[in-house]
Amino acid sequence: MYGLKRIRIPLATAAAAAILGTGVTASVAAPNPATPAVKEQGSAPTAAFGSAAAKDSIPEGIIVGYKKRTDAARSDAEARADARAKGAKVGEHLGFDRRLGTGAALVGFDSKMAAEDVKDVMAAYASDPDVAYVVPDERMYATATPNDPLYTQQWDLFENHAGMRVPGAWKRGITGKGVNVSVIDTGYVAHSDLAANIVPGYDFISDPSRARDGDGRDSDPADQGDWVRRGECGTNAAGEPLPDRDRNNTWHGTHVSGTIAATANNSNGITGIAHRARIQPVRVLGKCGGSTSDIIDAITWSSGGTVWGVPRNRHPADVINMSLGGGRTCDLGSQLAINAAVARGTTVVVSAGNENSDAANQSPASCANVINVAASDREGNRAAYSNYGWTVDITAPGGETKPNVSNGILSTLNSGTRGVGLENYDFYQGTSMAAPHITGLAALMYDANSRIRPAQVEAAIKLHARLLPGVCVGGCGAGLADASATLASVRGFRLGR
Ligand SMILES: [Ca+2]
Ligand SMILES: [Ca+2]
Ligand SMILES: [Ca+2]
Ligand SMILES: [Ca+2]
């Protein structure tokens, strides 16, 4: 039912972990410049949409429930004879097809019948005292397959093997509606596939030289671009220039946001995991990264806490996504901010980092009270760049671009390398891409049960994870997240709503 199209792209270089600058950096593994931007296809919707069509269509048969202890309830031969007799009565050919698990008889129509004829057949059964009920055997359609033309390339959502099995959650009618998600990142660049879900955020970058908008903190979290020249961010401990080469804009926060909540079923681009959730862009990463102090304030404000000089947040987050990190263990300042956010009921999701090393040496990945997410590839192995270890809670698709095949994560972007260009879509890979998968899943869980607590979110995601179908050396937490299995469990305690 779901397309399993392999994506072929021109030769791509192997990716290395990206150090985007000093301080805290976005943990996207090198966005691959050789990967072509995916342009809008403008193709027709790919999926049939069901309910309206189903109501107008002619059923292909009927389901007949005979009363207990009637002959036709016990004997297929009797049910077959009854179908022949009823058909003769109304002038149609009816045939007994099979017995359903409920014991009801499935009665098929020989040829296409008019709606009036179907009514007559049903009336003939309904008037029989041996019949408990008769209902049309309608054609059902998957209502959960988005019509977004690039959805077929979102293997990370729908592939059963190593995707997050999201469609099973959508089939339950859960889309993240009414859930607030703060994306603490580079901000937001306008994109038509996200605009409907964006709510006002804030720009917490206090250093004008990193902000590129001419001032310190302000209420406009528009991403000003994070391109930098070689060496513009200083040097590392070894005296080497940071970054080691010129870098273009990443539009990192917009890519992360698209994975969480790009608009679905708008015949445009991709679909987000929690595509009815609200995204609040909270800007902390500029040119040369961001500072721990700005991030602490962003965590506090996003979760509904008070930050001096900043207006109250009118959309306090149910879930915070932080696809960012720095090379040290969790500091107490960050930990206290996270603890307070969790105490306010906000689930905090973070990326494990892209150093192919122990996430215990990364912050906020190593903080307590967070869901720390490692990345897997399309085969279900730990991605080669992904951090690992005992602090990892769960693994989700982060993609891995291999020679000739793009198995990265497709999401919303912008083509501007040094300024704002046209909106587009492209593949990125990284634990930055894995974390928003878990954020999207958490948002779906808040939709299913608005009273769910962060500890319950984390426990349910872990409990319903599956073994990685590939290889993970070093520790991938509870395994690969499974949205369908997780949401099936959340419905169980929806009673509190
Ligand atoms: Ca500013
Ligand atoms: Ca600004
Ligand atoms: Ca879309
Ligand atoms: Ca944890």
Side-chain angles (χ1 to χ4, degrees), residues 195-220:
N197 291 335
I198 299 288
V199 296
Y202 206 80
D203 183 348
F204 279 91
I205 301 180
S206 50
D207 177 357
S209 74
R210 284 184 183 172
R212 211 168 244 154
D213 62 358
D215 57 19
R217 292 182 176 179
D218 64 81
S219 61
D220 179 5

Side-chain angles (χ1 to χ4, degrees), residues 85-112:
K86 295 277 195 314
K89 191 176 160 189
V90 297
E92 299 290 347
H93 286 289
L94 303 181
F96 170 83
D97 280 344
R98 62 190 161 87
R99 194 71 70 171
L100 303 188
T102 57
L106 180 61
V107 176
F109 302 155
D110 223 16
S111 55
K112 283 279 172 208

Side-chain angles (χ1 to χ4, degrees), residues 167-225:
W170 294 334
K171 278 179 187 156
R172 297 170 174 276
I174 299 171
T175 56
K177 194 175 181 206
V179 178
N180 294 330
V181 177
S182 285
V183 175
I184 299 180
D185 211 295
T186 61
Y188 167 67
V189 63
H191 200 294
S192 65
D193 215 5
L194 264 171
N197 291 335
I198 299 288
V199 296
Y202 206 80
D203 183 348
F204 279 91
I205 301 180
S206 50
D207 177 357
S209 74
R210 284 184 183 172
R212 211 168 244 154
D213 62 358
D215 57 19
R217 292 182 176 179
D218 64 81
S219 61
D220 179 5
D223 192 337
Q224 305 293 324

Side-chain angles (χ1 to χ4, degrees), residues 1 12 191 274 287 311 324 334 363 398 404-405 422 446 462 471 475 480:
M1 176 161 27
H191 200 294
K287 190 177 79 169
L324 50 81
S334 296
S363 182
N404 298 320
V405 182
L422 297 173
Y446 276 87
K462 287 176 168 175
V471 177
L480 186 57

